[in-house]
Amino acid sequence: MSFLYNLIGIIATGLLTLAAPFSAKLALFINGRKKSMALLRNNIAKNDRTIWIHAASLGEFEQGLPIMEQLKKDFPLHKLVLSFFSPSGYEIKKNSNVADVICYLPLDTKHNASEFIKAVNPELAIFIKYEIWPNYLRMLNKQKIPTILVSALFKKEQIYFKKYGSFMRKALANFTHFFVQNTDSKTLLNSIGLSNVSITGDTRFDRVMEILKRNNNLTFMDIFTKGKFCFVGGSTWPEDEELVTAYINQSQLPIKFIIAPHTVKASHIDSIKKAILKPTICYSELKDTQIQDYDVLIIDTIGLLTKIYSYADIAYVGGGFATGLHNTLEPAVFGIPVLIGPHYKGFIEAENLVAAKGVLPVHTFKDFKFNVDRFFEDIDLRKNTGSINKKFIYQESGATDKIMATIHTLLPNNVFKTEG
């Protein structure tokens, strides 16, 4: 099976290289990886002490961020090396200062794994959530480098728990320790003979808790909302925008609306603006305008949504109708009701918040209108529903501290800062 896996890896590399000229994303995927080894060799000296963190994409980066930030504080003598699998993660975060070196992870072949680990020479390797690469894990284990999987989530449908999954089960066995999100994941790992498991929860809760400590003030939002009831539609897709714009056009309530689409291409922004009958302005048009005179603000840039959520009385998080639900924790941490589309299964935090009745799924425009109207009219309902979300996040936070306690035992001759 190992021979077949490696053969497939070599063939896949060749096919992807041939296809790269015909796809911008594939070109980033292939060409970015060609630079990885040079990046490592130019930025890591032989005597450097390093910690390697690997994230598949942007979502996993957000999960790993609390750990990376704590590593920088606790282990200032170590360089952090952050690798990504996906262009959607690397291209957005390649200039982040959270790590000393940021690169693509070369594809999982024996040669790539050997060369990459030789160049990084990590004292600890941290994989986030789902990333299971047999050759890398085998090489780390062979060199006795402690390797942990954090915020992991396992389901019985995965290959590790099937009769034909022995090859991938062997890959899992290379981990020094698993930090899983829930009891079901621990039970599944135990069922295949893996007992080095701790239930620590999801580090994303720690990530959103940090949001509350930041300065979330935005002058343009203060002027635009003027203390009025504020609705924020975040990370919306066309299916979501149909609901939101229909409500905007029909509603007679004194509500300020913000739409922050997932896609900020000019053509898409223009289509949203044309669909709205009320006075509408884009973020890029704010200079020298009386923004308070507008009812709708379209955010045609990225990087502001988290702070914008702090102004919301109610939020709608997009992706739950077709593409995959976006982050419900970012608005929920501000103690407000959150609406989502009907397809939220598999997003465990959303499932739990729906069960607690802090997040409400809507299936139709009628559902959407009913919920926005009643949260506008009933202040107590709005506060009580929002408090469910905030309380839930408080209760689920703390995974980072638990994981860091183990990390301090795994790093050889560790040197870290202490209080006082």
Side-chain angles (χ1 to χ4, degrees), residues 267-408:
S267 58
H268 183 63
I269 296 297
D270 189 54
S271 69
I272 298 173
K273 195 173 182 180
K274 286 180 178 177
I276 299 171
L277 303 179
K278 293 183 178 179
T280 302
I281 190 170
C282 293
Y283 174 78
S284 60
E285 302 170 330
L286 293 187
K287 188 177 181 181
D288 299 325
T289 59
Q290 298 296 314
I291 186 176
Q292 64 270 22
D293 296 335
Y294 291 86
D295 295 322
V296 185
L297 172 61
I298 300 174
I299 308 298
D300 53 349
T301 187
I302 59 173
L304 295 175
L305 180 56
T306 302
K307 289 188 175 185
I308 289 172
Y309 277 138
S310 72
Y311 288 84
D313 292 288
I314 180 174
Y316 175 89
V317 175
F321 273 93
T323 58
L325 186 64
H326 287 273
N327 193 332
T328 53
L329 298 180
E330 287 186 351
V333 76
F334 291 108
I336 59 172
V338 178
L339 305 181
I340 58 174
H343 305 307
Y344 59 90
K345 298 297 183 183
F347 298 87
I348 189 168
E349 72 285 353
E351 291 181 9
N352 290 333
L353 286 169
V354 167
K357 302 189 184 315
V359 170
L360 291 85
V362 298
H363 295 76
T364 63
F365 174 75
K366 184 178 179 181
D367 292 342
F368 183 89
K369 183 179 186 303
F370 170 77
N371 280 292
V372 178
D373 286 352
R374 70 180 182 134
F375 283 122
F376 175 86
E377 294 163 359
D378 193 332
I379 296 175
D380 289 337
L381 175 65
R382 189 165 74 238
K383 288 182 177 179
N384 292 336
T385 304
S387 68
I388 291 171
N389 289 332
K390 194 166 188 176
K391 183 179 179 181
F392 180 83
I393 292 172
Y394 268 93
Q395 290 175 337
E396 294 295 318
S397 62
T400 301
D401 289 343
K402 297 171 185 174
I403 294 167
M404 288 302 301
T406 298
I407 287 175
H408 279 289

Side-chain angles (χ1 to χ4, degrees), residues 16-27:
L16 290 171
T17 302
L18 290 173
F22 306 99
S23 167
K25 190 170 183 178
L26 268 183

Side-chain angles (χ1 to χ4, degrees), residues 150-387:
V150 302
S151 290
L153 195 60
F154 290 96
K155 300 175 183 179
K156 63 181 179 180
E157 295 82 12
Q158 292 173 309
I159 189 172
Y160 319 110
F161 313 108
K162 303 294 185 182
K163 290 182 179 179
Y164 51 82
S166 61
F167 176 71
M168 293 304 292
R169 282 195 290 274
K170 288 179 181 177
L172 283 182
N174 289 298
F175 279 106
T176 307
H177 203 87
F178 298 88
F179 296 95
V180 299
Q181 293 188 31
N182 56 26
T183 302
D184 288 346
S185 294
K186 183 177 189 297
T187 301
L188 285 167
L189 289 174
N190 291 166
S191 73
I192 57 173
L194 298 173
S195 58
N196 49 335
V197 187
S198 299
I199 304 171
T200 50
D202 189 345
T203 50
R204 283 185 303 166
F205 290 100
D206 300 327
R207 169 70 175 135
V208 295
M209 286 293 291
E210 287 295 320
I211 291 171
L212 295 179
K213 301 175 184 178
R214 299 187 320 206
N215 179 0
N216 290 299
N217 293 332
L218 294 167
T219 301
F220 74 88
M221 285 296 296
D222 291 325
I223 298 171
F224 176 70
T225 58
K226 292 183 67 176
K228 290 186 177 180
F229 187 94
C230 180
F231 170 96
V232 176
S235 302
T236 58
W237 289 78
E239 296 86 353
D240 309 301
E241 290 147 9
E242 286 182 20
L243 284 181
V244 176
T245 56
Y247 181 83
I248 291 171
N249 291 336
Q250 291 187 23
S251 178
Q252 299 301 312
L253 298 175
I255 299 176
K256 291 285 189 173
F257 297 94
I258 296 95
I259 304 174
H262 174 75
T263 299
V264 294
K265 290 182 179 178
S267 58
H268 183 63
I269 296 297
D270 189 54
S271 69
I272 298 173
K273 195 173 182 180
K274 286 180 178 177
I276 299 171
L277 303 179
K278 293 183 178 179
T280 302
I281 190 170
C282 293
Y283 174 78
S284 60
E285 302 170 330
L286 293 187
K287 188 177 181 181
D288 299 325
T289 59
Q290 298 296 314
I291 186 176
Q292 64 270 22
D293 296 335
Y294 291 86
D295 295 322
V296 185
L297 172 61
I298 300 174
I299 308 298
D300 53 349
T301 187
I302 59 173
L304 295 175
L305 180 56
T306 302
K307 289 188 175 185
I308 289 172
Y309 277 138
S310 72
Y311 288 84
D313 292 288
I314 180 174
Y316 175 89
V317 175
F321 273 93
T323 58
L325 186 64
H326 287 273
N327 193 332
T328 53
L329 298 180
E330 287 186 351
V333 76
F334 291 108
I336 59 172
V338 178
L339 305 181
I340 58 174
H343 305 307
Y344 59 90
K345 298 297 183 183
F347 298 87
I348 189 168
E349 72 285 353
E351 291 181 9
N352 290 333
L353 286 169
V354 167
K357 302 189 184 315
V359 170
L360 291 85
V362 298
H363 295 76
T364 63
F365 174 75
K366 184 178 179 181
D367 292 342
F368 183 89
K369 183 179 186 303
F370 170 77
N371 280 292
V372 178
D373 286 352
R374 70 180 182 134
F375 283 122
F376 175 86
E377 294 163 359
D378 193 332
I379 296 175
D380 289 337
L381 175 65
R382 189 165 74 238
K383 288 182 177 179
N384 292 336
T385 304
S387 68

